[in-house]
Amino acid sequence: MKYCSKILLFMGYLIGMTCMAQTNEKINLEALFESLSEELPEDIDLSELSEKWYHYLKHPIDLNKTDGTEIAELQFIDPLLLQRLIEHREVSGNFIHVLELQSIDGFTERIVNLLLPFVSIGEESSLKGLKFAGLEQELMVRYGRVLEKAKGYQIIDTGRSRYLGDANRFAVRYRANLKDKTRLAINMEKDAGEPFFDRKQKLGFDFYGMSLSIKRLGKLRNVVIGDYALQFGQGLSLWNGLGFGKGGLVQNAARQGVGVKQYTSLNETNFMRGLAGTLHIQRLEITPYFSYRSIDGNVNKLIEPPVIMTIANSGLHRTPTEQRYRNAAHQMTYGVNLLWRRNRLKIGVNINQSRLNVQKLKGTNRRQQYDFEGDELKNISVYTNYTVRNAHLFGEYASSMDGGTALLLGSIISLHPRLSSAILFRDYKKDFHTFYGQGFGESNNTTNEQGIYAGLTYQLARKLVWSNYVDLFRFPWLKYQADTPSAGADFFSQLSYIWYKKGQLSLRYRHRLKQVNYQGLGATETGLVNTGKQQVRTEFQYLLNYNWTIRSRAEFNMVQKEYEENSFGYMFYQDVFWKLKTGKIQLNARIAYFQADTYDNRIYAYENDVLYASGFGMYHTKGWRTYMNVRYRISNGLDIWAKYGVYYYPGRTMIGSGLDEINGNRKSEIKIQLRWQL
């Protein structure tokens, strides 16, 4: 009977393939990327995710072999859907075609089309038996700089703060992949303003990173030597790398920890450097890890023992002060994670300890009263998730051994084939301490926050999706810009109409409420005032033909603050994408006009860039923004990218501030990147 069902399904898929074949040729990675990462800082390196996506586009995940970890790394498939995929394979047998995904409950046409480019049914490689078969290498070299000379490069007085290096930026990445079982990653980077073969950078680049990953070694899995990341539970105690939170993908509030992973990002903080791996013993997974690395900070060595007042996480070493902070202290972290699996149930325990070679002192500000102090921090956490019928339940409880705790509980429930919900409760005590936690919330430090998040996604029709969430939160203790306990709320609603072969039209509304210190004359009862920011966005993307695609966006916002006049901001942009049928040349360009009355009215928007360099542009004050990207395939395996972008602010004689101040009314940037694949 099972095989009869397979045959009937396959016949249906053959019919459906003609309706979906063109869809799979193009996936809107930009929109998906922005939905995931729009809450992250604008200057963060996002290549950790984009590199993973491009890897799986080139080496699709085998639906008949995966245990779900690789699919979880894609970030847009929630745990409930992932569990259903695994169970479908267990009950019905191996997939006979990728379009069989359509038969799994909850896999809407939208989800299936997002996933299809990343998955496959395994096939024998045509390269088997050839010399060096299975070995892939990639070398990428990137150069960039701002063309105008900022104030920090013009100061010659050695007694003043200034940039010690030039404005050039360099990045080198090397990757070697042997049969997708052994991977080598090497990163080198110099930021603008950092010395090159000078001062503390006698070896050239400011940042070097290297890691060797072995997928399987006997009973060991995911052994990494060098730079690596750990992601366990819901991230309350330990989560390295990118941590996504609120956004257009409502169910993404539930984290899916993948354990040990190779760290390949150019971000210079929040990673481990040492050795880690996972030992599989039937249902039990044991993951020991050890890390020893330098950290930046303000260290006073004139007293005994030495103390560190501030730990710096920018990764920038441009000025004399930043140079003094560079590698000023060392941190050793070690621990073990135990994970037990049984059918739909997972239970994990993580124990870790971090030691500094200096004493960490907390600040003198009253809001820093409960900050961590000392040279040793211990954390223990217990986490679990369980899938029962149409519900995925998850949670984590963590404790820093000096007294504070953090708790997160949540669920994802499929209320109907077209309706799903996500609910999440969090309570992070003001004295909970962790060096590497990234729990879900308004802030990313997993402390001094309580809240409840509720999200709902409704498939109104085959092409119409409505996503909503509300997040109510409070800060029981003082925080930055709030000298008394405060509260807030975040409301989000987005309606998307999707032509799976052609494009998408979306309308978004968001309203964020917070309390901040009152800066005016007199005083308020609590010392705080209520502030609100309302945002409306509409976006349209359409595939005109194989060669041309257009994308348009209009966004408006209004900031309301008690006892002050309302301020406004808006932005319009038009994007154009063009490519030859041969794929030899591709280009895209944007022109945008924007105005923001105050800094609070600033607008962020995803910008296309050279490969692995995508990020978010900040649209502030009043002006124009335009850029163009070009990719040219020189030969098989050799590509070159180039980007030119400029901000133009009419009527201004100076832009920027501090050491980044530029005389004039424009700021332009160039990037050139070369990639060689073997």
PDB file of all heavy atoms in Angstrom, residues 14 29 42 72 121 139 160 227 252 266 340 355 364 454 476 479 504 506 517 545 548 550 559 580 621:
ATOM      1  N   LEU A  14       4.674  14.913 -11.176  1.00  0.00           N
ATOM      2  CA  LEU A  14       5.052  15.125 -12.571  1.00  0.00           C
ATOM      3  C   LEU A  14       4.174  16.180 -13.213  1.00  0.00           C
ATOM      4  O   LEU A  14       4.627  16.991 -14.013  1.00  0.00           O
ATOM      5  CB  LEU A  14       4.960  13.800 -13.350  1.00  0.00           C
ATOM      6  CG  LEU A  14       6.012  12.745 -12.983  1.00  0.00           C
ATOM      7  CD1 LEU A  14       5.756  11.463 -13.776  1.00  0.00           C
ATOM      8  CD2 LEU A  14       7.410  13.256 -13.253  1.00  0.00           C
ATOM      9  N   LEU A  29      16.477  35.487  -2.461  1.00  0.00           N
ATOM     10  CA  LEU A  29      17.306  35.407  -1.272  1.00  0.00           C
ATOM     11  C   LEU A  29      17.372  36.746  -0.549  1.00  0.00           C
ATOM     12  O   LEU A  29      17.506  36.785   0.669  1.00  0.00           O
ATOM     13  CB  LEU A  29      18.721  34.956  -1.656  1.00  0.00           C
ATOM     14  CG  LEU A  29      18.882  33.507  -2.116  1.00  0.00           C
ATOM     15  CD1 LEU A  29      20.335  33.226  -2.462  1.00  0.00           C
ATOM     16  CD2 LEU A  29      18.409  32.541  -1.047  1.00  0.00           C
ATOM     17  N   GLU A  42      23.783  47.172  11.893  1.00  0.00           N
ATOM     18  CA  GLU A  42      23.993  47.400  10.466  1.00  0.00           C
ATOM     19  C   GLU A  42      25.415  47.081  10.022  1.00  0.00           C
ATOM     20  O   GLU A  42      25.665  46.847   8.847  1.00  0.00           O
ATOM     21  CB  GLU A  42      23.652  48.845  10.101  1.00  0.00           C
ATOM     22  CG  GLU A  42      24.589  49.906  10.656  1.00  0.00           C
ATOM     23  CD  GLU A  42      24.188  50.346  12.059  1.00  0.00           C
ATOM     24  OE1 GLU A  42      23.344  49.678  12.685  1.00  0.00           O
ATOM     25  OE2 GLU A  42      24.740  51.358  12.530  1.00  0.00           O
ATOM     26  N   ALA A  72      18.051  22.844   9.442  1.00  0.00           N
ATOM     27  CA  ALA A  72      17.927  23.838  10.510  1.00  0.00           C
ATOM     28  C   ALA A  72      18.882  24.999  10.293  1.00  0.00           C
ATOM     29  O   ALA A  72      18.572  26.144  10.633  1.00  0.00           O
ATOM     30  CB  ALA A  72      18.185  23.184  11.866  1.00  0.00           C
ATOM     31  N   ILE A 121      17.497  14.802  -4.042  1.00  0.00           N
ATOM     32  CA  ILE A 121      17.555  13.372  -3.787  1.00  0.00           C
ATOM     33  C   ILE A 121      18.916  12.920  -4.291  1.00  0.00           C
ATOM     34  O   ILE A 121      19.257  13.162  -5.453  1.00  0.00           O
ATOM     35  CB  ILE A 121      16.427  12.605  -4.515  1.00  0.00           C
ATOM     36  CG1 ILE A 121      15.072  13.198  -4.123  1.00  0.00           C
ATOM     37  CG2 ILE A 121      16.491  11.126  -4.181  1.00  0.00           C
ATOM     38  CD1 ILE A 121      14.770  13.148  -2.646  1.00  0.00           C
ATOM     39  N   LEU A 139      39.316  30.664  -3.458  1.00  0.00           N
ATOM     40  CA  LEU A 139      40.101  31.774  -2.938  1.00  0.00           C
ATOM     41  C   LEU A 139      39.408  33.073  -3.320  1.00  0.00           C
ATOM     42  O   LEU A 139      39.098  33.299  -4.491  1.00  0.00           O
ATOM     43  CB  LEU A 139      41.517  31.756  -3.514  1.00  0.00           C
ATOM     44  CG  LEU A 139      42.421  32.933  -3.095  1.00  0.00           C
ATOM     45  CD1 LEU A 139      42.683  32.906  -1.600  1.00  0.00           C
ATOM     46  CD2 LEU A 139      43.722  32.920  -3.882  1.00  0.00           C
ATOM     47  N   ARG A 160      46.574  63.373  19.910  1.00  0.00           N
ATOM     48  CA  ARG A 160      45.125  63.323  19.717  1.00  0.00           C
ATOM     49  C   ARG A 160      44.700  61.962  19.182  1.00  0.00           C
ATOM     50  O   ARG A 160      45.498  61.218  18.587  1.00  0.00           O
ATOM     51  CB  ARG A 160      44.702  64.420  18.737  1.00  0.00           C
ATOM     52  CG  ARG A 160      44.978  65.831  19.217  1.00  0.00           C
ATOM     53  CD  ARG A 160      44.667  66.834  18.114  1.00  0.00           C
ATOM     54  NE  ARG A 160      43.274  66.741  17.670  1.00  0.00           N
ATOM     55  CZ  ARG A 160      42.793  67.375  16.606  1.00  0.00           C
ATOM     56  NH1 ARG A 160      43.613  68.126  15.864  1.00  0.00           N
ATOM     57  NH2 ARG A 160      41.529  67.254  16.267  1.00  0.00           N
ATOM     58  N   ASP A 227      38.850  27.865  14.957  1.00  0.00           N
ATOM     59  CA  ASP A 227      37.712  28.728  15.284  1.00  0.00           C
ATOM     60  C   ASP A 227      36.406  27.976  15.075  1.00  0.00           C
ATOM     61  O   ASP A 227      36.187  27.380  14.015  1.00  0.00           O
ATOM     62  CB  ASP A 227      37.722  29.978  14.408  1.00  0.00           C
ATOM     63  CG  ASP A 227      38.933  30.862  14.671  1.00  0.00           C
ATOM     64  OD1 ASP A 227      39.621  30.629  15.692  1.00  0.00           O
ATOM     65  OD2 ASP A 227      39.197  31.769  13.859  1.00  0.00           O
ATOM     66  N   ASN A 252      10.327  32.053  13.649  1.00  0.00           N
ATOM     67  CA  ASN A 252      11.772  32.040  13.854  1.00  0.00           C
ATOM     68  C   ASN A 252      12.161  32.404  15.276  1.00  0.00           C
ATOM     69  O   ASN A 252      13.335  32.373  15.630  1.00  0.00           O
ATOM     70  CB  ASN A 252      12.444  33.013  12.877  1.00  0.00           C
ATOM     71  CG  ASN A 252      13.888  32.667  12.622  1.00  0.00           C
ATOM     72  OD1 ASN A 252      14.201  31.549  12.229  1.00  0.00           O
ATOM     73  ND2 ASN A 252      14.782  33.611  12.862  1.00  0.00           N
ATOM     74  N   LEU A 266      33.739  36.880   9.396  1.00  0.00           N
ATOM     75  CA  LEU A 266      34.767  37.891   9.624  1.00  0.00           C
ATOM     76  C   LEU A 266      34.494  38.713  10.874  1.00  0.00           C
ATOM     77  O   LEU A 266      35.284  39.606  11.210  1.00  0.00           O
ATOM     78  CB  LEU A 266      34.882  38.816   8.408  1.00  0.00           C
ATOM     79  CG  LEU A 266      35.429  38.169   7.128  1.00  0.00           C
ATOM     80  CD1 LEU A 266      35.386  39.151   5.972  1.00  0.00           C
ATOM     81  CD2 LEU A 266      36.841  37.640   7.326  1.00  0.00           C
ATOM     82  N   TRP A 340      20.303  14.151  24.981  1.00  0.00           N
ATOM     83  CA  TRP A 340      19.666  12.824  24.887  1.00  0.00           C
ATOM     84  C   TRP A 340      18.439  12.932  23.997  1.00  0.00           C
ATOM     85  O   TRP A 340      17.618  13.835  24.163  1.00  0.00           O
ATOM     86  CB  TRP A 340      19.280  12.332  26.275  1.00  0.00           C
ATOM     87  CG  TRP A 340      18.659  10.963  26.290  1.00  0.00           C
ATOM     88  CD1 TRP A 340      19.290   9.763  26.168  1.00  0.00           C
ATOM     89  CD2 TRP A 340      17.269  10.659  26.458  1.00  0.00           C
ATOM     90  NE1 TRP A 340      18.397   8.716  26.249  1.00  0.00           N
ATOM     91  CE2 TRP A 340      17.139   9.237  26.423  1.00  0.00           C
ATOM     92  CE3 TRP A 340      16.121  11.433  26.632  1.00  0.00           C
ATOM     93  CZ2 TRP A 340      15.913   8.598  26.549  1.00  0.00           C
ATOM     94  CZ3 TRP A 340      14.896  10.789  26.763  1.00  0.00           C
ATOM     95  CH2 TRP A 340      14.806   9.389  26.712  1.00  0.00           C
ATOM     96  N   ARG A 355      37.164  31.675  32.321  1.00  0.00           N
ATOM     97  CA  ARG A 355      38.138  32.294  33.210  1.00  0.00           C
ATOM     98  C   ARG A 355      38.898  33.383  32.473  1.00  0.00           C
ATOM     99  O   ARG A 355      39.322  33.202  31.328  1.00  0.00           O
ATOM    100  CB  ARG A 355      39.126  31.253  33.739  1.00  0.00           C
ATOM    101  CG  ARG A 355      38.523  30.275  34.739  1.00  0.00           C
ATOM    102  CD  ARG A 355      39.602  29.375  35.325  1.00  0.00           C
ATOM    103  NE  ARG A 355      39.058  28.495  36.357  1.00  0.00           N
ATOM    104  CZ  ARG A 355      39.780  27.623  37.045  1.00  0.00           C
ATOM    105  NH1 ARG A 355      41.080  27.507  36.788  1.00  0.00           N
ATOM    106  NH2 ARG A 355      39.220  26.868  37.968  1.00  0.00           N
ATOM    107  N   THR A 364      30.602  51.972  37.530  1.00  0.00           N
ATOM    108  CA  THR A 364      30.170  52.742  38.697  1.00  0.00           C
ATOM    109  C   THR A 364      28.767  53.300  38.547  1.00  0.00           C
ATOM    110  O   THR A 364      28.195  53.797  39.519  1.00  0.00           O
ATOM    111  CB  THR A 364      31.154  53.893  38.950  1.00  0.00           C
ATOM    112  OG1 THR A 364      31.228  54.708  37.768  1.00  0.00           O
ATOM    113  CG2 THR A 364      32.545  53.341  39.253  1.00  0.00           C
ATOM    114  N   ALA A 454       3.820  36.747  21.079  1.00  0.00           N
ATOM    115  CA  ALA A 454       2.801  35.910  20.442  1.00  0.00           C
ATOM    116  C   ALA A 454       2.751  36.254  18.961  1.00  0.00           C
ATOM    117  O   ALA A 454       2.603  37.423  18.587  1.00  0.00           O
ATOM    118  CB  ALA A 454       1.434  36.128  21.079  1.00  0.00           C
ATOM    119  N   PRO A 476      12.948  45.114  34.553  1.00  0.00           N
ATOM    120  CA  PRO A 476      12.740  45.306  35.996  1.00  0.00           C
ATOM    121  C   PRO A 476      13.783  46.198  36.659  1.00  0.00           C
ATOM    122  O   PRO A 476      13.534  46.736  37.744  1.00  0.00           O
ATOM    123  CB  PRO A 476      12.819  43.880  36.555  1.00  0.00           C
ATOM    124  CG  PRO A 476      12.550  42.989  35.395  1.00  0.00           C
ATOM    125  CD  PRO A 476      13.129  43.698  34.214  1.00  0.00           C
ATOM    126  N   LYS A 479      18.379  50.487  32.818  1.00  0.00           N
ATOM    127  CA  LYS A 479      19.084  50.130  31.597  1.00  0.00           C
ATOM    128  C   LYS A 479      19.559  51.401  30.912  1.00  0.00           C
ATOM    129  O   LYS A 479      19.253  52.517  31.359  1.00  0.00           O
ATOM    130  CB  LYS A 479      18.184  49.310  30.646  1.00  0.00           C
ATOM    131  CG  LYS A 479      16.950  50.068  30.161  1.00  0.00           C
ATOM    132  CD  LYS A 479      16.051  49.203  29.303  1.00  0.00           C
ATOM    133  CE  LYS A 479      16.664  48.828  27.982  1.00  0.00           C
ATOM    134  NZ  LYS A 479      16.739  49.981  27.058  1.00  0.00           N
ATOM    135  N   GLN A 504       6.526  39.600  -5.895  1.00  0.00           N
ATOM    136  CA  GLN A 504       5.863  39.716  -4.604  1.00  0.00           C
ATOM    137  C   GLN A 504       5.472  41.164  -4.336  1.00  0.00           C
ATOM    138  O   GLN A 504       6.183  42.101  -4.693  1.00  0.00           O
ATOM    139  CB  GLN A 504       6.809  39.214  -3.504  1.00  0.00           C
ATOM    140  CG  GLN A 504       6.264  39.376  -2.083  1.00  0.00           C
ATOM    141  CD  GLN A 504       7.170  38.728  -1.060  1.00  0.00           C
ATOM    142  OE1 GLN A 504       7.739  37.672  -1.292  1.00  0.00           O
ATOM    143  NE2 GLN A 504       7.310  39.362   0.093  1.00  0.00           N
ATOM    144  N   SER A 506       4.159  43.364  -0.922  1.00  0.00           N
ATOM    145  CA  SER A 506       3.964  43.269   0.526  1.00  0.00           C
ATOM    146  C   SER A 506       3.660  44.635   1.118  1.00  0.00           C
ATOM    147  O   SER A 506       4.106  45.681   0.616  1.00  0.00           O
ATOM    148  CB  SER A 506       5.210  42.676   1.204  1.00  0.00           C
ATOM    149  OG  SER A 506       6.325  43.518   1.038  1.00  0.00           O
ATOM    150  N   ASN A 517      14.562  58.078  29.331  1.00  0.00           N
ATOM    151  CA  ASN A 517      14.739  59.199  30.252  1.00  0.00           C
ATOM    152  C   ASN A 517      14.173  60.491  29.666  1.00  0.00           C
ATOM    153  O   ASN A 517      14.284  60.740  28.469  1.00  0.00           O
ATOM    154  CB  ASN A 517      16.228  59.408  30.552  1.00  0.00           C
ATOM    155  CG  ASN A 517      16.803  58.304  31.416  1.00  0.00           C
ATOM    156  OD1 ASN A 517      16.108  57.712  32.231  1.00  0.00           O
ATOM    157  ND2 ASN A 517      18.085  58.020  31.232  1.00  0.00           N
ATOM    158  N   ASN A 545      11.189  39.656 -17.264  1.00  0.00           N
ATOM    159  CA  ASN A 545      11.539  38.549 -18.158  1.00  0.00           C
ATOM    160  C   ASN A 545      12.807  37.915 -17.605  1.00  0.00           C
ATOM    161  O   ASN A 545      13.251  38.255 -16.500  1.00  0.00           O
ATOM    162  CB  ASN A 545      11.720  39.018 -19.609  1.00  0.00           C
ATOM    163  CG  ASN A 545      12.695  40.176 -19.727  1.00  0.00           C
ATOM    164  OD1 ASN A 545      13.769  40.166 -19.129  1.00  0.00           O
ATOM    165  ND2 ASN A 545      12.321  41.191 -20.498  1.00  0.00           N
ATOM    166  N   TRP A 548      15.433  40.868 -16.913  1.00  0.00           N
ATOM    167  CA  TRP A 548      15.151  42.051 -16.094  1.00  0.00           C
ATOM    168  C   TRP A 548      14.238  41.742 -14.913  1.00  0.00           C
ATOM    169  O   TRP A 548      13.229  41.058 -15.056  1.00  0.00           O
ATOM    170  CB  TRP A 548      14.498  43.137 -16.943  1.00  0.00           C
ATOM    171  CG  TRP A 548      15.393  43.716 -17.986  1.00  0.00           C
ATOM    172  CD1 TRP A 548      15.514  43.318 -19.289  1.00  0.00           C
ATOM    173  CD2 TRP A 548      16.314  44.800 -17.812  1.00  0.00           C
ATOM    174  NE1 TRP A 548      16.440  44.078 -19.943  1.00  0.00           N
ATOM    175  CE2 TRP A 548      16.957  45.012 -19.062  1.00  0.00           C
ATOM    176  CE3 TRP A 548      16.664  45.615 -16.745  1.00  0.00           C
ATOM    177  CZ2 TRP A 548      17.917  45.995 -19.258  1.00  0.00           C
ATOM    178  CZ3 TRP A 548      17.624  46.604 -16.938  1.00  0.00           C
ATOM    179  CH2 TRP A 548      18.233  46.781 -18.182  1.00  0.00           C
ATOM    180  N   ILE A 550      12.676  44.081 -11.400  1.00  0.00           N
ATOM    181  CA  ILE A 550      12.610  45.379 -10.725  1.00  0.00           C
ATOM    182  C   ILE A 550      12.137  45.188  -9.290  1.00  0.00           C
ATOM    183  O   ILE A 550      11.411  44.239  -8.968  1.00  0.00           O
ATOM    184  CB  ILE A 550      11.664  46.351 -11.457  1.00  0.00           C
ATOM    185  CG1 ILE A 550      10.250  45.760 -11.550  1.00  0.00           C
ATOM    186  CG2 ILE A 550      12.211  46.700 -12.838  1.00  0.00           C
ATOM    187  CD1 ILE A 550       9.219  46.739 -12.092  1.00  0.00           C
ATOM    188  N   VAL A 559       7.953  59.310  14.679  1.00  0.00           N
ATOM    189  CA  VAL A 559       8.409  59.129  16.054  1.00  0.00           C
ATOM    190  C   VAL A 559       7.656  60.106  16.937  1.00  0.00           C
ATOM    191  O   VAL A 559       7.635  61.315  16.673  1.00  0.00           O
ATOM    192  CB  VAL A 559       9.927  59.348  16.179  1.00  0.00           C
ATOM    193  CG1 VAL A 559      10.359  59.311  17.643  1.00  0.00           C
ATOM    194  CG2 VAL A 559      10.680  58.288  15.376  1.00  0.00           C
ATOM    195  N   LEU A 580      22.612  38.460 -18.354  1.00  0.00           N
ATOM    196  CA  LEU A 580      22.594  37.764 -19.631  1.00  0.00           C
ATOM    197  C   LEU A 580      22.109  36.331 -19.441  1.00  0.00           C
ATOM    198  O   LEU A 580      22.254  35.753 -18.366  1.00  0.00           O
ATOM    199  CB  LEU A 580      23.999  37.739 -20.241  1.00  0.00           C
ATOM    200  CG  LEU A 580      24.522  39.018 -20.911  1.00  0.00           C
ATOM    201  CD1 LEU A 580      25.960  38.809 -21.345  1.00  0.00           C
ATOM    202  CD2 LEU A 580      23.654  39.402 -22.097  1.00  0.00           C
ATOM    203  N   THR A 621      19.151  61.784   7.779  1.00  0.00           N
ATOM    204  CA  THR A 621      19.050  63.193   7.370  1.00  0.00           C
ATOM    205  C   THR A 621      18.335  63.273   6.016  1.00  0.00           C
ATOM    206  O   THR A 621      17.320  62.624   5.814  1.00  0.00           O
ATOM    207  CB  THR A 621      20.425  63.894   7.349  1.00  0.00           C
ATOM    208  OG1 THR A 621      21.233  63.337   6.329  1.00  0.00           O
ATOM    209  CG2 THR A 621      21.126  63.769   8.681  1.00  0.00           C
TER     210      THR A 621
END
